[in-house]
Amino acid sequence: MTEKNRAEKAPDPAWWKEAIIYQIYPRSFRDADGDGIGDLPGILSQLDYVQSLGVDVIWLNPVFASPNDDNGYDISDYREIMSDFGTMADFDRLLDAVHSRGMRLLLDLVANHTSDEHPWFVQARTSRENPYYDYYIWWAAEHGAPPDRRSFFDELGDAWRYNPATDSYYLHYFSAKQPDLNWDNPAVRREMYGIMRFWLDKGVDGFRLDSIPYISKDPEFPDIDLCRYPGMFGFYSHGPRLHEYLHEMYREVWSRYDCMSVGEGSGVDAPEVWEYVSPERQELDMLYGFGPSWVRNTTRPDSRTAGVSYSLVELKRMFTAWDRGVGDGWPTVYLGNHDQPRMISRFGSDRYPWRDISAKMLALFLLTMRGTPCWFAGDEIGMANVRFSCIDHYNDINTRNMYRRIEREQGDIQAFLREQKRTARDNARTPFQWDFSPCAGFSTAVPWLRVNPDYRRINVAAQERDPDSVLNFFRRAVAFRKANRGLIYGNYTLLDEKNPQSYTYLREGEGQRFLVALNFSRKAARSFPGFPLKGAERVLGNYPDAGTGVDDELCAEEEIPLRPFEGIVFRLG
Ligand code: ISL
């Protein structure tokens, strides 16, 4: 099928295309047993709240047994629940309760690496003759120094760690406590498919697949072309047998269940995404890319006067390229998760007077785009970056190891801490803000990570009482998406590619036409959709006076004036 044909085919309906995914970081959601750490009974106790949002699918960050070097992304038993979070009986209760409310549950599976405390690795590292040795990736010391490979979290940046008992180095793309599995070994693949089936047989509805593009490694370990792959990480997602393994996974697992799979598309560019998600290739249902973080961290603002502190033109290009890149597959959209700072601090403004209005505008964006929205818990009340000022307040291995490295290299620690206030992952991991009580109602004990002190103003209890709150606007926007299939299955067309302040697009399909105009800046803006809006009806907006109905004066014009962070959805005749 050509790229053009792929893009033109109408999407087949599927429950996961119509779903809104609500991502819960279990450690931070609700602590039921008073140890300062969120847990499964805590999530269970708040399911009425989750259901009240109107979302359909809950994605839980890893809940498997883990020594927590990387908060559950280092698994030591794939068939057990992390003791901090509860027991298997707690999990079964949670799964039942989610299902009885008509929602579904996704688990987050780490298939690229295990914990170094996983029994496979404990065995593997004892001797080259051990049957588990070949479950991991090694470089024998007699071959000299291992080839240069970079690690995300290692203090020295080196992805190899020497293991004396075997006189060899093991590969770890992440921390030294997260050794990479050897997917070229059929026994490893069988183990992984067995684990997936174990949870699907229990009734879970699918997986988010961590770091999945990294699973295949070139056993020749060639030199990496650093011009093509600066930082090497793009290289990691282009292993020679990756698509063979994803197709095998589909055959062995996904094809046998009514489930969904969404991969973390680290290192994957928009023109390649169809290779993962095109239905005819039988690999994954969806993949999410790293565009939003890249745009915010590395691109310059389009203009100083636009009132946007990053390039909105680039953000639009990135979302549009991903939409096109999936071909006849299906996109996902998100602006934040547990690895990114808070969406409002990054793409809106968490400062008075813009906080609520920009949080609502970003909700309007994600809920009117084409693609399954992945919504990160807390964004529906406008939780913002905590901006820790001292290293002791951070928990994240990424921040702590980078700090050590800069310290060792006598780099600029203060500059690093300043930068972490904007970019650190812990910004998104602070405890969920339920109410006004100490620790924001998250726990009765000292929480594992400090609560953002702004909980005294920003919390669920306060927003439940206010019909104009971010929370209640989020619920309205969710309900609006659900009630309009054109917003789910309709095509997406960008209308104002070059405008540095506004993001305007059409959604057309299922007999409906919507025009969405959003001002991403803190200044007034004008959006030019390129045609007069005669007969257009305002159906949803984030300003309290926006109202609904046909605005003839505005609609006769070819431009839409937008107040700071204003977002409007028009139904077109
Ligand atoms: O892509 C990256 C940088 O360009 C990295 O951010 C990396 O691919 C990404 O962090 C992978 O994230 C996932 O796996 C990690 C875990 O720490 C993250 O929380 C998880 O989302 C290791 O398992």
Side-chain angles (χ1 to χ4, degrees):
M1 204 185 261
T2 65
E3 192 183 325
K4 191 159 177 289
N5 287 342
R6 269 199 305 274
E8 280 172 2
K9 201 171 158 279
D12 294 326
W15 60 264
W16 44 268
K17 295 180 183 171
E18 297 172 23
I20 296 169
I21 299 177
Y22 185 74
Q23 181 193 349
I24 291 181
Y25 199 66
R27 188 161 282 270
S28 300
F29 199 58
R30 178 77 157 211
D31 170 22
D33 63 359
D35 62 357
I37 299 174
D39 44 40
L40 301 183
I43 298 171
L44 180 67
S45 72
Q46 298 306 318
L47 280 188
D48 286 344
Y49 168 77
V50 177
Q51 187 180 18
S52 80
L53 300 173
V55 298
D56 320 82
V57 176
I58 298 175
W59 149 20
L60 295 180
N61 287 96
V63 295
F64 314 101
S66 165
N68 283 311
D69 188 51
D70 184 19
N71 288 351
Y73 285 94
D74 47 322
I75 298 173
S76 55
D77 187 341
Y78 287 86
R79 289 183 166 85
E80 257 318 323
I81 295 296
M82 187 193 299
S83 55
D84 283 346
F85 292 169
T87 61
M88 192 60 94
D90 292 325
F91 178 82
D92 292 339
R93 268 193 289 279
L94 178 63
L95 182 61
D96 275 355
V98 168
H99 284 162
S100 67
R101 282 169 167 81
M103 296 187 288
R104 310 206 198 213
L105 193 67
L106 283 192
L107 293 183
D108 194 330
L109 192 74
V110 190
N112 176 68
H113 47 271
T114 68
S115 162
D116 67 340
E117 297 181 34
H118 192 290
W120 300 337
F121 192 74
V122 172
Q123 290 271 327
R125 73 185 315 168
T126 58
S127 129
R128 290 193 193 182
E129 274 66 55
N130 189 287
Y132 287 101
Y133 186 73
D134 207 26
Y135 269 42
Y136 294 88
I137 298 173
W138 300 90
W139 183 266
E142 61 270 21
H143 297 143
D148 190 16
R149 290 293 182 272
R150 300 287 88 202
S151 154
F152 287 104
F153 300 158
D154 189 74
E155 265 182 74
L156 302 173
D158 187 357
W160 296 101
R161 180 62 64 103
Y162 183 66
N163 181 54
T166 55
D167 192 26
S168 54
Y169 300 81
Y170 65 87
L171 185 71
H172 61 92
Y173 282 173
F174 294 91
S175 91
K177 285 185 68 61
Q178 295 169 292
D180 281 47
L181 282 164
N182 175 16
W183 273 69
D184 291 343
N185 181 346
V188 167
R189 306 205 298 276
R190 270 196 305 276
E191 298 265 19
M192 274 301 153
Y193 305 150
I195 288 161
M196 292 165 180
R197 287 196 292 259
F198 169 82
W199 290 100
L200 289 164
D201 288 339
K202 252 185 180 299
V204 309
D205 302 285
F207 291 97
R208 178 259 188 192
L209 296 157
D210 184 70
S211 304
I212 199 72
Y214 296 165
I215 57 176
S216 164
K217 277 93 180 172
D218 187 336
E220 301 295 321
F221 285 99
D223 287 344
I224 298 177
D225 176 354
L226 290 177
C227 294
R228 188 154 169 219
Y229 300 112
M232 296 188 184
F233 299 114
F235 175 84
Y236 293 170
S237 52
H238 290 84
R241 297 178 70 185
L242 169 64
H243 291 287
E244 175 192 331
Y245 297 155
L246 291 178
H247 180 63
E248 184 183 74
M249 193 184 288
Y250 175 90
R251 204 183 60 221
E252 296 296 317
V253 189
W254 316 136
S255 63
R256 304 177 186 195
Y257 297 85
D258 175 23
C259 65
M260 64 166 272
S261 54
V262 51
E264 186 198 25
S266 165
V268 180
D269 293 329
E272 306 161 328
V273 58
W274 69 273
E275 296 175 20
Y276 294 75
V277 300
S278 178
E280 71 197 43
R281 290 175 57 89
Q282 303 187 319
E283 295 188 10
L284 301 176
D285 292 324
M286 296 180 280
L287 192 79
Y288 69 84
F290 275 61
S293 60
W294 183 78
V295 166
R296 190 59 183 85
N297 287 345
T298 56
T299 50
R300 290 167 178 276
D302 301 309
S303 105
R304 256 172 237 222
T305 51
V308 185
S309 57
Y310 53 92
S311 169
L312 181 65
V313 169
E314 186 52 33
L315 190 81
K316 290 187 277 190
R317 193 202 61 73
M318 185 278 300
F319 272 104
T320 307
W322 201 263
D323 182 80
R324 200 163 299 153
V326 297
D328 62 345
W330 190 251
T332 61
V333 288
Y334 78 100
L335 284 173
N337 59 36
H338 67 292
D339 286 337
Q340 315 285 340
R342 280 286 173 184
M343 143 180 125
I344 179 186
S345 306
R346 213 176 201 194
F347 298 103
S349 168
D350 55 26
R351 300 294 149 101
Y352 183 81
W354 310 127
R355 184 170 182 141
D356 286 12
I357 207 73
S358 70
K360 292 175 185 173
M361 186 277 291
L362 295 173
L364 207 50
F365 169 61
L366 290 173
L367 294 167
T368 56
M369 278 294 278
R370 192 175 89 102
T372 301
C374 295
W375 186 266
F376 187 56
D379 285 343
E380 72 277 16
I381 55 169
M383 281 179 65
N385 284 355
V386 66
R387 303 188 174 90
F388 290 136
S389 49
C390 116
I391 189 66
D392 294 339
H393 295 174
Y394 284 100
N395 166 278
D396 182 12
I397 181 167
N398 192 20
T399 301
R400 297 179 79 94
N401 280 359
M402 277 199 289
Y403 182 92
R404 286 198 198 108
R405 185 165 164 194
I406 294 169
E407 207 172 34
R408 174 176 296 126
E409 291 167 358
Q410 300 187 339
D412 188 343
I413 285 286
Q414 291 314 320
F416 173 71
L417 287 174
R418 272 198 304 280
E419 185 251 347
Q420 288 295 293
K421 286 186 181 181
R422 276 193 312 114
T423 60
R425 307 196 296 182
D426 278 344
N427 281 307
R429 298 178 180 184
T430 58
F432 193 93
Q433 295 165 203
W434 292 104
D435 59 35
F436 297 94
S437 61
C439 304
F442 162 71
S443 174
T444 50
V446 177
W448 70 280
L449 189 67
R450 282 163 191 253
V451 177
N452 190 325
D454 74 7
Y455 81 88
R456 295 182 189 91
R457 284 179 297 116
I458 311 295
N459 62 57
V460 171
Q463 296 198 16
E464 288 286 10
R465 292 200 290 259
D466 172 5
D468 279 332
S469 63
V470 179
L471 176 60
N472 282 316
F473 181 80
F474 174 75
R475 288 181 173 130
R476 286 199 290 280
V478 167
F480 189 77
R481 180 181 181 89
K482 297 268 165 198
N484 291 286
R485 286 173 73 82
L487 286 179
I488 297 169
Y489 289 115
N491 291 334
Y492 154 87
T493 313
L494 174 64
L495 298 176
D496 60 351
E497 194 185 336
K498 300 261 162 59
N499 192 320
Q501 286 174 282
S502 73
Y503 192 161
T504 307
Y505 46 92
L506 272 181
R507 298 295 318 280
E508 297 173 289
E510 305 275 326
Q512 298 183 307
R513 285 182 84 216
F514 293 101
L515 182 132
V516 183
L518 306 163
N519 180 359
F520 272 67
S521 82
R522 61 193 75 200
K523 297 189 172 176
R526 291 180 308 158
S527 154
F528 300 93
F531 51 83
L533 293 176
K534 196 149 183 50
E537 186 190 352
R538 270 172 199 259
V539 282
L540 194 60
N542 64 344
Y543 268 73
D545 63 350
T548 58
V550 180
D551 180 340
D552 283 329
E553 206 175 305
L554 166 71
C555 294
E557 301 296 327
E558 286 198 17
E559 74 173 60
I560 306 167
L562 293 166
R563 289 168 282 187
F565 292 116
E566 181 162 23
I568 309 173
V569 183
F570 296 93
R571 193 195 304 275
L572 302 181

